[in-house]
Amino acid sequence: SGATASDAPPPTPSETSTGKSGRGVDVGDLVATTVGSLERRAALLERELDVARSAGTAAATKLEFAEAAARKDAERVVRSERARHAEEVSSLRAHAAKELEESLRSVHASVSRQAEAARAALRDLADERDAVVEERAAAVSAAAAERDALRNQ
């Protein structure tokens, strides 16, 4: 909205030779003021850029520390999980070994009972066989005695 250099009327020859505009303003002072403002603005921009760089560097450093901490936390969690899984596996192995031992004891007891039953059955069969053999021997002996008695008569 303000007047620009292109909106102002061109300087007259007398204004150009004296360095003054038609309004009584020294053009050299105006240029020096404008250059000074631009230099101050450039210095402010450089400071803002330095501050932004410092903030960026600080943020990058903070991010690096956060990433390192996150990595350490993740590694700690992984170690903890591995240890927990190792404990679970060990517990499962111990439980399986205990169950296997109990199962083997049960099978052993069952086999022992069956073997004892088989031995008892064999003893009973042997006793029956011995009894039959004795009966037959007695019958043969009685028959032989009767035959001898009949022969002697």
Side-chain angles (χ1 to χ4, degrees):
S1 348
T4 62
S6 61
D7 293 340
T12 62
S14 67
E15 291 172 343
T16 305
S17 66
T18 62
K20 300 234 180 213
S21 68
R23 300 182 190 135
V25 177
D26 186 352
V27 174
D29 288 343
L30 194 59
V31 168
T33 302
T34 304
V35 169
S37 293
L38 289 175
E39 287 174 348
R40 281 191 301 278
R41 177 77 177 134
L44 285 174
L45 289 174
E46 284 179 17
R47 274 188 245 134
E48 286 178 15
L49 182 60
D50 287 343
V51 168
R53 282 182 183 144
S54 295
T57 301
T61 302
K62 186 177 179 180
L63 181 62
E64 287 173 8
F65 283 129
E67 287 174 346
R71 235 183 275 105
K72 285 180 184 177
D73 285 346
E75 290 169 357
R76 182 187 50 77
V77 167
V78 167
R79 282 191 306 272
S80 172
E81 284 297 309
R82 283 184 180 156
R84 189 178 65 77
H85 286 290
E87 287 175 14
E88 283 181 22
V89 167
S90 178
S91 174
L92 288 172
R93 283 183 178 152
H95 184 71
K98 183 179 176 182
E99 284 183 354
L100 179 60
E101 187 176 328
E102 289 173 2
S103 178
L104 288 173
R105 283 184 186 147
S106 174
V107 167
H108 182 266
S110 177
V111 167
S112 293
R113 283 190 302 274
Q114 290 173 358
E116 185 56 39
R119 283 191 291 273
L122 287 173
R123 278 192 303 269
D124 290 345
L125 287 174
D127 290 345
E128 286 178 24
R129 180 199 64 213
D130 291 346
V132 167
V133 168
E134 287 176 16
E135 283 177 18
R136 287 188 183 161
V140 167
S141 214
E146 191 178 315
R147 189 182 50 226
D148 286 342
L150 286 175
R151 259 193 232 153
N152 289 336
Q153 277 183 358

